Amino acid sequence: MLKIFYIMVISAIPLIEQRGAIPVGIFTGGDPLTVFIFSYIGSLIPVPFIFFMFNWIMDLLREKNWLPWLINIVDNKINKNIDKFERYKEAALITFIGIPLPTTGVWTGTAIATFLKLDFKKTMFCAMVGALLSAIVITLVCVMLPELAQSLF
């Protein structure tokens, strides 16, 4: 039970998310389906908090000049991809969240959704579908190609 909790916590951490939680869970002997489910749930926990508090937190960090490296990462990632998202908002957001690459995922995707002024329902839907796709890809790679997964994740 404690391992499931750890998987959920790891999957809710920015930049790590499911890309770290699923391999850790599977390669430490966890049941792939259980790891998949709880990593998926854990990755969605931050969405409402990010959606409703992201702009306020970023403004506070800028004002106090706290964590400038984090502000730069977030700003660069969002500004780099904002044009792509304007045209195909929901599909682009699902794809962005669903591709398990560094700096993509639920955290950044939800932050982008706030900049695009998507409503909460659309943001949550995109996060759920994107996180599901990401979890499927990562779980399949970990189960079917464990050597590749260990080198990637």
Side-chain angles (χ1 to χ4, degrees):
M1 190 63 172
L2 189 57
K3 186 177 195 173
I4 292 170
F5 175 75
Y6 287 138
I7 296 304
M8 289 180 71
V9 169
I10 293 169
S11 67
I13 296 173
L15 301 176
I16 298 173
E17 300 183 31
Q18 295 172 341
R19 291 177 300 278
I22 292 173
V24 165
I26 291 174
F27 296 138
T28 58
D31 172 59
L33 182 60
T34 303
V35 170
F36 170 88
I37 291 168
F38 286 97
S39 175
Y40 175 72
I41 292 167
S43 71
L44 294 175
I45 291 170
V47 172
F49 300 103
I50 299 166
F51 183 83
F52 292 111
M53 297 182 69
F54 179 77
N55 290 325
W56 177 78
I57 290 171
M58 289 301 288
D59 291 342
L60 180 66
L61 290 175
R62 282 186 190 95
E63 179 183 312
K64 302 290 184 184
N65 199 27
W66 293 337
L67 304 174
W69 60 271
L70 178 63
I71 293 169
N72 287 335
I73 289 173
V74 172
D75 285 343
N76 290 338
K77 191 63 175 177
I78 290 169
N79 291 329
K80 178 181 169 188
N81 293 295
I82 200 80
D83 292 334
K84 297 172 192 172
F85 285 94
E86 284 295 333
R87 191 165 183 197
Y88 306 102
K89 290 180 183 178
E90 291 85 0
L93 192 57
I94 289 169
T95 303
F96 182 83
I97 293 170
I99 297 173
L101 295 173
T103 70
T104 65
V106 173
W107 277 80
T108 311
T110 305
I112 290 170
T114 65
F115 280 103
L116 295 174
K117 307 283 190 250
L118 289 181
D119 65 28
F120 180 71
K121 286 181 186 177
K122 284 183 182 178
T123 300
M124 196 68 200
F125 174 77
C126 291
M128 290 172 71
V129 173
L132 182 64
L133 293 173
S134 177
I136 289 169
V137 168
I138 296 167
T139 303
L140 287 176
V141 170
C142 289
V143 170
M144 298 174 83
L145 304 166
E147 294 84 20
L148 176 63
Q150 288 176 338
S151 68
L152 291 175
F153 304 112

